[in-house]
Amino acid sequence: MNEIKQINIGLFGVGVVGQGVIEQLAQNAVIISKRTGLNLKITKAVTKTPLKERAVSLEGISLSDDPEHILNDPEIDIVLELIGGIEEAEAIVIRALKDGKSVVSANKALIAENADNIFKTAYESRGLFGFEAAVAGGIPIIRDIKEGFSGDDITEISGIINGTANYILTQMTKAGKDFGTALKEAQEAGFAEADPTFDIEGVDTAHKLLLLMKIAFNGLFEFKELYTEGITKIESIDIAVAEEFGFVIKLLGKAVNVDGKFQGRVHPCLVSKESLLSGVNGAFNAVALKGNFVGETLTYGAGAGSHPTASAVVSDVVAIARQLKAGTGNLVPPLSAEWGSLKMQKIQPISETVTAYYLRFTVTDEVGVLAKITKILGDHGISIEAMQQKDRSKSKSEAVPVVIFTHQAKEENVAQALSEIDALTFIKEPTKLIRIDL
């Protein structure tokens, strides 16, 4: 096979990440050429605003607002989908793959929610499909799982994989900010969108976790079955009590494979200060894995932003370019396993989870309150590890917080107990429940 001298790239989206990719391919062109023996060049780009001024030079790139500018060009080898969203992005990815072009996408929502269509097409395509940038920005966690740990049975994933949520919780922990103030500062610093819903409600983390589950556990999973809870109900008192007991609060994506039974959940967790995950602060991300031979590993790095995400995109471009040059085709299947072996798997409901819990009750200060609460917990098989009652109120009508740390218990039993407790007249607010990472 004749050596490919130049790989022609078509870029959809010239936003923050797209400009980062343009910048990296230009600035690191010499070193990339040394490593590949190829010239990787963006020759065309499609954007809704082709005349808009950008922070990077677009010299040598033919701009258009028509998708056919790239999709109908047989000289384009690799298509970069960096526009976000679902419908338009899916149409671009599917069309390019069906036409035999290779595709790189950073679109975790698309790949998580429309996985069946995207991956079925990717497996059938002559082209190659990369999506390293869809999870944890500059951390090569997808490549780690697909290649570095390809001989391991991965049994657990724990990840801080949303920089916005982690930045907010860090500000609440380190600087004593309340949630609203920390969110506003995150927006001002560029770590949170004007509409931060996907980040603070855990949806973005859930998209990423689902992708990791598919690769690590070699199965297909439904997004709707993944329990998802955000950080909007975390209060300063929860941060402070966690600190007193040797914990920090983090938004975790957690997945476990126990003998073919799969857990997958996203929610705030009390993480021990002895855990490496507890020290992941600001907008940084980290993913911890457990494999039956490799043991425990932790990968840490920048989780988002123009340059880290661009780095992940370019890593896929380089990997694909090398395979195109060698004419080897798809060396590593998109989801690590052969398509025929990937079966739809059920994610256990959150009610089946067994873990320890932080429970904060808001009660009127009267005799017998603790006895009634602990009795109901005991009736449901929930034992208490530690308890804290804040200063007594000055008025009998004034509510006070009572915090209980439980031993391990089944979530279904905890939910039933709290339903009974919250119906009692001395309970003034719904009980706050935060799971403890074990």
Short mmCIF file of all heavy atoms in Angstrom, two decimals, residues 117-168:
data_model
loop_
_atom_site.label_atom_id
_atom_site.label_comp_id
_atom_site.label_asym_id
_atom_site.label_seq_id
_atom_site.Cartn_x
_atom_site.Cartn_y
_atom_site.Cartn_z
N ASN A 117 -27.47 3.15 17.78
CA ASN A 117 -27.35 3.56 16.37
C ASN A 117 -25.92 3.95 16.02
O ASN A 117 -25.37 3.53 15.00
CB ASN A 117 -28.30 4.74 16.10
CG ASN A 117 -28.49 4.99 14.62
OD1 ASN A 117 -28.26 4.12 13.79
ND2 ASN A 117 -28.92 6.20 14.29
N ILE A 118 -25.29 4.75 16.91
CA ILE A 118 -23.93 5.24 16.65
C ILE A 118 -22.95 4.08 16.56
O ILE A 118 -22.18 3.94 15.60
CB ILE A 118 -23.48 6.23 17.74
CG1 ILE A 118 -24.34 7.50 17.73
CG2 ILE A 118 -22.00 6.57 17.58
CD1 ILE A 118 -24.17 8.36 16.51
N PHE A 119 -22.96 3.22 17.56
CA PHE A 119 -21.95 2.16 17.60
C PHE A 119 -22.22 1.04 16.59
O PHE A 119 -21.27 0.47 16.05
CB PHE A 119 -21.82 1.61 19.02
CG PHE A 119 -21.04 2.51 19.94
CD1 PHE A 119 -21.67 3.20 20.96
CD2 PHE A 119 -19.69 2.72 19.75
CE1 PHE A 119 -20.96 4.06 21.78
CE2 PHE A 119 -18.97 3.58 20.56
CZ PHE A 119 -19.61 4.26 21.58
N LYS A 120 -23.47 0.73 16.34
CA LYS A 120 -23.76 -0.27 15.31
C LYS A 120 -23.20 0.20 13.96
O LYS A 120 -22.58 -0.57 13.23
CB LYS A 120 -25.27 -0.50 15.20
CG LYS A 120 -25.65 -1.61 14.22
CD LYS A 120 -27.15 -1.88 14.26
CE LYS A 120 -27.51 -3.08 13.41
NZ LYS A 120 -27.22 -2.86 11.98
N THR A 121 -23.40 1.48 13.66
CA THR A 121 -22.87 2.04 12.42
C THR A 121 -21.34 2.05 12.43
O THR A 121 -20.70 1.75 11.42
CB THR A 121 -23.40 3.47 12.22
OG1 THR A 121 -24.82 3.47 12.28
CG2 THR A 121 -22.95 4.03 10.87
N ALA A 122 -20.76 2.39 13.59
CA ALA A 122 -19.29 2.44 13.70
C ALA A 122 -18.68 1.06 13.47
O ALA A 122 -17.64 0.93 12.81
CB ALA A 122 -18.89 2.98 15.07
N TYR A 123 -19.32 0.02 14.02
CA TYR A 123 -18.79 -1.33 13.84
C TYR A 123 -18.89 -1.79 12.38
O TYR A 123 -18.06 -2.55 11.90
CB TYR A 123 -19.54 -2.31 14.75
CG TYR A 123 -18.94 -2.45 16.14
CD1 TYR A 123 -19.25 -1.54 17.14
CD2 TYR A 123 -18.07 -3.48 16.45
CE1 TYR A 123 -18.72 -1.66 18.42
CE2 TYR A 123 -17.53 -3.61 17.72
CZ TYR A 123 -17.85 -2.70 18.70
OH TYR A 123 -17.32 -2.82 19.97
N GLU A 124 -19.92 -1.32 11.68
CA GLU A 124 -20.13 -1.74 10.29
C GLU A 124 -19.33 -0.92 9.29
O GLU A 124 -19.15 -1.32 8.15
CB GLU A 124 -21.63 -1.65 9.95
CG GLU A 124 -22.50 -2.62 10.72
CD GLU A 124 -23.99 -2.37 10.51
OE1 GLU A 124 -24.32 -1.28 9.96
OE2 GLU A 124 -24.80 -3.22 10.89
N SER A 125 -18.84 0.24 9.73
CA SER A 125 -18.17 1.18 8.82
C SER A 125 -16.76 0.74 8.46
O SER A 125 -16.06 0.08 9.25
CB SER A 125 -18.12 2.57 9.47
OG SER A 125 -17.39 3.47 8.67
N ARG A 126 -16.32 1.12 7.26
CA ARG A 126 -14.92 0.95 6.89
C ARG A 126 -14.05 1.97 7.65
O ARG A 126 -12.85 1.79 7.78
CB ARG A 126 -14.72 1.19 5.38
CG ARG A 126 -15.44 0.22 4.49
CD ARG A 126 -14.99 0.36 3.04
NE ARG A 126 -14.94 1.74 2.60
CZ ARG A 126 -15.97 2.42 2.12
NH1 ARG A 126 -17.16 1.83 2.03
NH2 ARG A 126 -15.83 3.67 1.71
N GLY A 127 -14.69 3.05 8.10
CA GLY A 127 -13.97 4.08 8.84
C GLY A 127 -13.78 3.70 10.29
O GLY A 127 -14.32 2.70 10.78
N LEU A 128 -13.01 4.51 11.00
CA LEU A 128 -12.73 4.28 12.41
C LEU A 128 -13.45 5.35 13.24
O LEU A 128 -13.75 6.44 12.74
CB LEU A 128 -11.22 4.34 12.65
CG LEU A 128 -10.39 3.42 11.75
CD1 LEU A 128 -8.91 3.72 11.91
CD2 LEU A 128 -10.69 1.97 12.04
N PHE A 129 -13.70 5.03 14.51
CA PHE A 129 -14.48 5.94 15.36
C PHE A 129 -13.77 6.16 16.68
O PHE A 129 -13.47 5.21 17.40
CB PHE A 129 -15.88 5.35 15.60
CG PHE A 129 -16.79 6.24 16.40
CD1 PHE A 129 -16.95 7.59 16.10
CD2 PHE A 129 -17.51 5.73 17.49
CE1 PHE A 129 -17.79 8.40 16.83
CE2 PHE A 129 -18.35 6.53 18.23
CZ PHE A 129 -18.50 7.87 17.90
N GLY A 130 -13.48 7.42 16.99
CA GLY A 130 -12.83 7.76 18.25
C GLY A 130 -13.67 8.74 19.06
O GLY A 130 -14.28 9.65 18.50
N PHE A 131 -13.69 8.54 20.38
CA PHE A 131 -14.50 9.43 21.23
C PHE A 131 -13.82 9.66 22.58
O PHE A 131 -14.46 9.82 23.61
CB PHE A 131 -15.91 8.87 21.42
CG PHE A 131 -15.97 7.43 21.88
CD1 PHE A 131 -16.19 7.12 23.21
CD2 PHE A 131 -15.82 6.39 20.98
CE1 PHE A 131 -16.25 5.80 23.64
CE2 PHE A 131 -15.88 5.06 21.40
CZ PHE A 131 -16.09 4.77 22.74
N GLU A 132 -12.49 9.67 22.58
CA GLU A 132 -11.73 9.86 23.82
C GLU A 132 -12.14 11.15 24.53
O GLU A 132 -12.20 11.20 25.77
CB GLU A 132 -10.23 9.90 23.50
CG GLU A 132 -9.33 10.00 24.72
CD GLU A 132 -9.41 8.78 25.62
OE1 GLU A 132 -9.06 7.68 25.16
OE2 GLU A 132 -9.85 8.94 26.78
N ALA A 133 -12.42 12.21 23.79
CA ALA A 133 -12.73 13.51 24.39
C ALA A 133 -14.10 13.56 25.04
O ALA A 133 -14.44 14.55 25.70
CB ALA A 133 -12.62 14.61 23.34
N ALA A 134 -14.91 12.50 24.88
CA ALA A 134 -16.26 12.51 25.45
C ALA A 134 -16.26 12.31 26.96
O ALA A 134 -17.25 12.59 27.62
CB ALA A 134 -17.11 11.43 24.79
N VAL A 135 -15.15 11.82 27.52
CA VAL A 135 -15.09 11.56 28.96
C VAL A 135 -13.80 12.14 29.54
O VAL A 135 -12.70 11.80 29.10
CB VAL A 135 -15.15 10.05 29.28
CG1 VAL A 135 -15.08 9.82 30.79
CG2 VAL A 135 -16.41 9.43 28.72
N ALA A 136 -13.94 13.03 30.51
CA ALA A 136 -12.82 13.50 31.34
C ALA A 136 -11.72 14.24 30.57
O ALA A 136 -10.55 14.17 30.94
CB ALA A 136 -12.22 12.33 32.12
N GLY A 137 -12.11 14.95 29.53
CA GLY A 137 -11.18 15.88 28.86
C GLY A 137 -9.81 15.31 28.58
O GLY A 137 -9.64 14.42 27.74
N GLY A 138 -8.79 15.83 29.28
CA GLY A 138 -7.41 15.45 29.00
C GLY A 138 -6.95 14.14 29.60
O GLY A 138 -5.79 13.78 29.47
N ILE A 139 -7.85 13.40 30.27
CA ILE A 139 -7.47 12.10 30.83
C ILE A 139 -7.76 11.01 29.79
O ILE A 139 -8.90 10.85 29.38
CB ILE A 139 -8.26 11.79 32.12
CG1 ILE A 139 -8.07 12.88 33.16
CG2 ILE A 139 -7.86 10.43 32.68
CD1 ILE A 139 -8.94 12.71 34.39
N PRO A 140 -6.77 10.25 29.37
CA PRO A 140 -7.02 9.22 28.33
C PRO A 140 -7.64 7.95 28.91
O PRO A 140 -7.14 6.84 28.70
CB PRO A 140 -5.61 8.96 27.78
CG PRO A 140 -4.71 9.20 28.95
CD PRO A 140 -5.34 10.33 29.73
N ILE A 141 -8.75 8.11 29.62
CA ILE A 141 -9.32 6.98 30.35
C ILE A 141 -9.93 5.95 29.41
O ILE A 141 -9.88 4.74 29.68
CB ILE A 141 -10.36 7.46 31.40
CG1 ILE A 141 -10.82 6.32 32.29
CG2 ILE A 141 -11.53 8.16 30.73
CD1 ILE A 141 -9.71 5.69 33.10
N ILE A 142 -10.51 6.39 28.30
CA ILE A 142 -11.10 5.43 27.36
C ILE A 142 -10.01 4.56 26.75
O ILE A 142 -10.14 3.34 26.67
CB ILE A 142 -11.91 6.17 26.28
CG1 ILE A 142 -13.17 6.76 26.92
CG2 ILE A 142 -12.28 5.23 25.14
CD1 ILE A 142 -13.99 7.63 26.00
N ARG A 143 -8.92 5.18 26.33
CA ARG A 143 -7.80 4.40 25.77
C ARG A 143 -7.18 3.50 26.84
O ARG A 143 -6.75 2.38 26.54
CB ARG A 143 -6.77 5.35 25.17
CG ARG A 143 -5.68 4.63 24.38
CD ARG A 143 -4.92 5.56 23.46
NE ARG A 143 -5.71 5.89 22.28
CZ ARG A 143 -6.26 7.09 22.04
NH1 ARG A 143 -6.08 8.07 22.89
NH2 ARG A 143 -6.98 7.30 20.96
N ASP A 144 -7.10 3.99 28.07
CA ASP A 144 -6.58 3.15 29.16
C ASP A 144 -7.38 1.86 29.28
O ASP A 144 -6.81 0.77 29.39
CB ASP A 144 -6.64 3.91 30.49
CG ASP A 144 -5.51 4.90 30.66
OD1 ASP A 144 -4.60 4.93 29.81
OD2 ASP A 144 -5.54 5.67 31.64
N ILE A 145 -8.71 1.99 29.28
CA ILE A 145 -9.55 0.81 29.47
C ILE A 145 -9.48 -0.10 28.24
O ILE A 145 -9.33 -1.32 28.37
CB ILE A 145 -11.02 1.24 29.75
CG1 ILE A 145 -11.11 2.01 31.06
CG2 ILE A 145 -11.93 0.01 29.79
CD1 ILE A 145 -12.49 2.59 31.34
N LYS A 146 -9.59 0.48 27.04
CA LYS A 146 -9.64 -0.32 25.82
C LYS A 146 -8.32 -1.00 25.50
O LYS A 146 -8.30 -2.09 24.94
CB LYS A 146 -10.06 0.57 24.64
CG LYS A 146 -11.52 0.98 24.67
CD LYS A 146 -11.83 2.05 23.63
CE LYS A 146 -11.66 1.56 22.22
NZ LYS A 146 -12.12 2.57 21.23
N GLU A 147 -7.20 -0.34 25.87
CA GLU A 147 -5.91 -0.89 25.48
C GLU A 147 -5.02 -1.22 26.68
O GLU A 147 -4.51 -2.33 26.80
CB GLU A 147 -5.20 0.11 24.55
CG GLU A 147 -5.98 0.37 23.27
CD GLU A 147 -5.28 1.35 22.34
OE1 GLU A 147 -4.05 1.30 22.25
OE2 GLU A 147 -5.98 2.17 21.72
N GLY A 148 -4.84 -0.28 27.59
CA GLY A 148 -3.95 -0.51 28.72
C GLY A 148 -4.41 -1.61 29.65
O GLY A 148 -3.60 -2.36 30.20
N PHE A 149 -5.74 -1.73 29.83
CA PHE A 149 -6.28 -2.76 30.73
C PHE A 149 -7.11 -3.79 29.96
O PHE A 149 -8.05 -4.37 30.49
CB PHE A 149 -7.15 -2.10 31.82
CG PHE A 149 -6.44 -1.04 32.60
CD1 PHE A 149 -7.02 0.20 32.82
CD2 PHE A 149 -5.17 -1.26 33.12
CE1 PHE A 149 -6.36 1.18 33.54
CE2 PHE A 149 -4.50 -0.29 33.83
CZ PHE A 149 -5.09 0.94 34.05
N SER A 150 -6.74 -4.00 28.70
CA SER A 150 -7.54 -4.88 27.84
C SER A 150 -7.56 -6.33 28.30
O SER A 150 -8.46 -7.09 27.92
CB SER A 150 -7.02 -4.81 26.40
OG SER A 150 -5.64 -5.14 26.34
N GLY A 151 -6.60 -6.73 29.13
CA GLY A 151 -6.58 -8.10 29.63
C GLY A 151 -7.13 -8.25 31.02
O GLY A 151 -7.10 -9.35 31.59
N ASP A 152 -7.66 -7.15 31.59
CA ASP A 152 -8.18 -7.18 32.96
C ASP A 152 -9.70 -7.25 32.98
O ASP A 152 -10.38 -6.70 32.11
CB ASP A 152 -7.74 -5.92 33.72
CG ASP A 152 -6.47 -6.14 34.51
OD1 ASP A 152 -5.39 -6.01 33.92
OD2 ASP A 152 -6.57 -6.45 35.70
N ASP A 153 -10.21 -7.91 34.00
CA ASP A 153 -11.65 -7.88 34.29
C ASP A 153 -11.87 -6.70 35.24
O ASP A 153 -11.51 -6.76 36.42
CB ASP A 153 -12.07 -9.19 34.95
CG ASP A 153 -13.56 -9.22 35.29
OD1 ASP A 153 -14.30 -8.33 34.82
OD2 ASP A 153 -13.98 -10.13 36.03
N ILE A 154 -12.42 -5.62 34.72
CA ILE A 154 -12.64 -4.42 35.54
C ILE A 154 -13.94 -4.59 36.32
O ILE A 154 -14.99 -4.85 35.74
CB ILE A 154 -12.68 -3.16 34.67
CG1 ILE A 154 -11.31 -2.96 34.02
CG2 ILE A 154 -13.05 -1.92 35.49
CD1 ILE A 154 -11.25 -1.82 33.03
N THR A 155 -13.84 -4.43 37.62
CA THR A 155 -15.00 -4.70 38.48
C THR A 155 -15.60 -3.44 39.07
O THR A 155 -16.73 -3.47 39.58
CB THR A 155 -14.60 -5.64 39.63
OG1 THR A 155 -13.51 -5.06 40.37
CG2 THR A 155 -14.18 -7.00 39.09
N GLU A 156 -14.87 -2.32 39.04
CA GLU A 156 -15.41 -1.11 39.66
C GLU A 156 -14.83 0.15 39.01
O GLU A 156 -13.66 0.20 38.66
CB GLU A 156 -15.10 -1.10 41.16
CG GLU A 156 -15.75 0.04 41.92
CD GLU A 156 -15.60 -0.10 43.43
OE1 GLU A 156 -15.64 -1.25 43.94
OE2 GLU A 156 -15.44 0.94 44.11
N ILE A 157 -15.70 1.15 38.87
CA ILE A 157 -15.32 2.47 38.37
C ILE A 157 -15.84 3.50 39.36
O ILE A 157 -17.01 3.46 39.74
CB ILE A 157 -15.95 2.76 37.00
CG1 ILE A 157 -15.63 1.67 35.99
CG2 ILE A 157 -15.52 4.14 36.48
CD1 ILE A 157 -16.51 1.73 34.74
N SER A 158 -14.98 4.41 39.79
CA SER A 158 -15.41 5.55 40.61
C SER A 158 -14.79 6.79 40.01
O SER A 158 -13.56 6.88 39.90
CB SER A 158 -14.96 5.39 42.06
OG SER A 158 -15.58 4.29 42.69
N GLY A 159 -15.62 7.75 39.62
CA GLY A 159 -15.06 8.89 38.93
C GLY A 159 -15.62 10.23 39.35
O GLY A 159 -16.83 10.38 39.60
N ILE A 160 -14.73 11.22 39.48
CA ILE A 160 -15.12 12.62 39.54
C ILE A 160 -14.92 13.12 38.12
O ILE A 160 -13.80 13.39 37.69
CB ILE A 160 -14.23 13.40 40.53
CG1 ILE A 160 -14.42 12.86 41.95
CG2 ILE A 160 -14.53 14.90 40.49
CD1 ILE A 160 -13.45 13.44 42.96
N ILE A 161 -16.00 13.21 37.36
CA ILE A 161 -15.88 13.42 35.92
C ILE A 161 -16.71 14.60 35.43
O ILE A 161 -17.06 14.68 34.25
CB ILE A 161 -16.21 12.14 35.13
CG1 ILE A 161 -17.47 11.45 35.65
CG2 ILE A 161 -15.04 11.18 35.17
CD1 ILE A 161 -17.82 10.16 34.94
N ASN A 162 -16.99 15.54 36.34
CA ASN A 162 -17.60 16.80 35.94
C ASN A 162 -16.89 17.94 36.66
O ASN A 162 -16.98 18.05 37.89
CB ASN A 162 -19.10 16.83 36.23
CG ASN A 162 -19.73 18.13 35.78
OD1 ASN A 162 -19.79 19.10 36.51
ND2 ASN A 162 -20.18 18.17 34.53
N GLY A 163 -16.16 18.75 35.91
CA GLY A 163 -15.36 19.81 36.51
C GLY A 163 -16.18 20.89 37.16
O GLY A 163 -15.79 21.47 38.18
N THR A 164 -17.36 21.20 36.61
CA THR A 164 -18.22 22.24 37.17
C THR A 164 -18.67 21.88 38.58
O THR A 164 -18.52 22.67 39.52
CB THR A 164 -19.45 22.46 36.28
OG1 THR A 164 -19.02 22.88 34.98
CG2 THR A 164 -20.36 23.52 36.86
N ALA A 165 -19.23 20.67 38.73
CA ALA A 165 -19.70 20.24 40.04
C ALA A 165 -18.55 20.16 41.04
O ALA A 165 -18.70 20.54 42.21
CB ALA A 165 -20.40 18.88 39.93
N ASN A 166 -17.40 19.67 40.59
CA ASN A 166 -16.27 19.54 41.50
C ASN A 166 -15.74 20.90 41.93
O ASN A 166 -15.34 21.09 43.08
CB ASN A 166 -15.16 18.71 40.86
CG ASN A 166 -14.22 18.12 41.88
OD1 ASN A 166 -14.66 17.55 42.89
ND2 ASN A 166 -12.93 18.27 41.68
N TYR A 167 -15.74 21.86 41.01
CA TYR A 167 -15.31 23.22 41.35
C TYR A 167 -16.24 23.82 42.41
O TYR A 167 -15.78 24.42 43.39
CB TYR A 167 -15.32 24.09 40.10
CG TYR A 167 -14.92 25.53 40.36
CD1 TYR A 167 -13.58 25.92 40.33
CD2 TYR A 167 -15.87 26.49 40.64
CE1 TYR A 167 -13.21 27.24 40.59
CE2 TYR A 167 -15.52 27.81 40.90
CZ TYR A 167 -14.19 28.18 40.86
OH TYR A 167 -13.83 29.49 41.12
N ILE A 168 -17.55 23.65 42.23
CA ILE A 168 -18.52 24.20 43.19
C ILE A 168 -18.34 23.57 44.56
O ILE A 168 -18.28 24.27 45.58
CB ILE A 168 -19.95 23.97 42.67
CG1 ILE A 168 -20.20 24.86 41.44
CG2 ILE A 168 -20.98 24.26 43.75
CD1 ILE A 168 -21.49 24.53 40.70
#
